[in-house]
Amino acid sequence: MIDTATAITGTGVVAGLGYAPVQWVKPAPILPLGHDRLVGEALRDAEVTRWKAAVETVASRLTLRAATNSGAAAEVLGATAALATDRGLQRAAGKLMAAGSTAEAATVDSIAQFIVKFEKLGGLMAERVTDLGDIRNRVVSELLGLPEPGVPTPVAPIILLAEDLAPADTATLDPALIHGIATRLGGPTSHTAIIARQLGIPCVVAATDLQDVPDGAMALIDGAAGTVEVGADPEQAEAKVQADAARRAAVQSWKGPGRTQDGTAVEVLANVQDGAGARAAAKYPAAGVGLFRTELCFLSAAHEPSVAEQASIYSEVLAAFPGQKVVIRTLDAGSDKPVPFVVHPDEENPALGVRGIRLGNADPGLLERQLDGIALAAEQQGVASAKVMAPMIATVDEARDFAAACRQRRLSPGIMVEVPSAALLADAFLAEVDFMSIGTNDLTQYTMAADRMAPSLAALTDPWQPAVLRLIRLAAAAGTSAQKPVGVCGEAAADPLLACILVGLGLSSLSMAPNAVAAVGLQLESVTLEQCQQGAAAVLRCTTAREARSMARELLS
Ligand code: PEP
Ligand code: MG
């Protein structure tokens, strides 16, 4: 059991304070696998009755929750409720119970049959496999008399605690009721962090000591400090939360342009994934797009779109930011972003395999056609020298070839700095291209040799790691000497405190999830360039990520 007034430390990923009772995401039940899966003939009708009651309870809870939610959340819940009472599922479970299966085993086995069917059908049906698993876990929990698994749906504010959140857990997260999220696992680029950032919910990940905090304990979460304080003084906690609410209101009213208190201009830009995302981003005070991840438009494209089709997608993004900076990144397919028409299925280690610019080794036409599509979109939108950058550049030769292909089409070439070699040789790379953008997500992954998707490595995949900061400094310094722009477009740019350090290191643009723009802009406006530079110098002397973070907080918050 946890001591009172204990601060549990993790990695803060979304700034903000929340004070409320905690509630855990309940784990999935252990599914029945053993010999207790069969009952004698006399008990079979009773099993069917038990099964029916459990399914009805689960379906009616989901229907009720659908009725109290709106929009996409209501749709997801309604569809899951309908799936729970699907006739086909009922028949399959009925057959199994008639042959002697317990209600639990019939639930597990009938749903397993449907999972196989849905996976074979592919497309939208395959996407519903997660829902089937969710229904199975709920019904089995109900049968075993366990609490409902998954994310709770509170009626009053809570701080949500979890091991980690999967995308499917999050359809119903309501920021009005979820005042904070803290997870034991996860890192700054985990799904939990991305979702919390999108919803603007204060969030701490990798808080490994959370496990002893009981449901109902009052906790103060601080997403900037990365702490969860259990048993905090209620009055002080409330006062802090109110002060934070005032800060958040100030964030809402920030309208740009990005600059430090003493007027040094900093481009504060948005990361987007397609036309709709770009139009949504245009509603935020971003000065343009610093990263358009083109591969995200094609995650379900079985065939490579034609040049004209690609051009119409790229045009949509250019059109959302007329006359403003838009940086289009060529396909970074592979590894964590598989694109069906460019697969390399036999890779032992996809993150170190054929991804990004390397796709051109096997199929040079892929890049050529994408650049043609971008050039066509630029022409259609009247953009004179559209900015295009290549991901996963590791050698100067790759940068030179890419730059030549861009210039042939009157495109302005840039590269991502994601591989440590690009930071170490930044001056040589900058001699070839017009600009660089540091992808801190991958730069951190490759510098620390830690999979950015692995929740258990969160402490390593932290852009505050001193080695990562030093590589960023190298790239920034090369930009200053070459007088060419170098920015950051990884998640690090969305951390207001780190944003100040990045500016202090000499970076000229920061690109981030659109809803992080205002908080970063406001923070930059509260500090001078000199303070940022002093902060950067102090942080570079630190030898641990935690020390670097708290040094920056001390000097710049
Ligand atoms: C990065 O690596 O930081 C980056 C911006 O690219 P992505 O997250 O798409 O890999
Ligand atoms: Mg990357």
Side-chain angles (χ1 to χ4, degrees), residues 329 332 337 355 416 418 439 441-442 452:
R329 180 174 75 182
D332 184 25
K337 289 170 287 192
R355 57 172 295 199
M416 296 275 299
E418 293 163 299
N441 307 336
D442 277 316
R452 62 191 266 190

Side-chain angles (χ1 to χ4, degrees), residues 189 271 291 293 295-296 329 332 336-337 355 416-418 438-443 452 489-491:
T189 53
N271 292 349
L291 168 64
R293 291 180 163 104
E295 65 281 356
L296 299 187
R329 180 174 75 182
D332 184 25
D336 54 324
K337 289 170 287 192
R355 57 172 295 199
M416 296 275 299
V417 178
E418 293 163 299
I438 305 173
T440 46
N441 307 336
D442 277 316
L443 184 62
R452 62 191 266 190
C489 62
E491 291 291 314

Side-chain angles (χ1 to χ4, degrees), residues 12-84:
V13 287
V14 183
L17 287 147
Y19 181 61
V22 305
Q23 212 169 325
W24 278 92
V25 171
K26 300 289 178 294
I30 295 166
L31 301 176
L33 292 170
H35 55 276
D36 55 345
R37 292 167 55 91
L38 290 175
V39 291
E41 208 153 349
L43 291 173
R44 289 181 190 171
D45 284 350
E47 286 304 287
V48 174
T49 312
R50 239 166 41 83
W51 181 84
K52 277 191 181 152
V55 169
E56 266 164 34
T57 308
V58 166
S60 61
R61 268 196 215 126
L62 288 166
T63 311
L64 191 71
R65 283 169 55 192
T68 51
N69 275 274
S70 58
E75 268 171 40
V76 171
L77 290 164
T80 311
L83 189 57

Side-chain angles (χ1 to χ4, degrees), residues 97-123:
M97 286 183 283
S101 282
T102 59
E104 289 87 347
T107 308
V108 173
D109 295 343
S110 59
I111 288 195
Q113 291 169 13
F114 273 70
I115 287 179
V116 173
K117 274 190 201 161
F118 278 28
E119 276 172 347
K120 270 203 192 128
L121 288 169

Side-chain angles (χ1 to χ4, degrees), residues 271-274 291-301 313-314 329-333 336-339 370:
N271 292 349
V272 305
Q273 72 284 11
D274 56 17
L291 168 64
F292 168 19
R293 291 180 163 104
T294 56
E295 65 281 356
L296 299 187
C297 300
F298 307 124
L299 290 181
S300 53
I313 295 172
Y314 309 146
R329 180 174 75 182
T330 55
L331 283 183
D332 184 25
D336 54 324
K337 289 170 287 192
V339 169
Q370 185 171 27

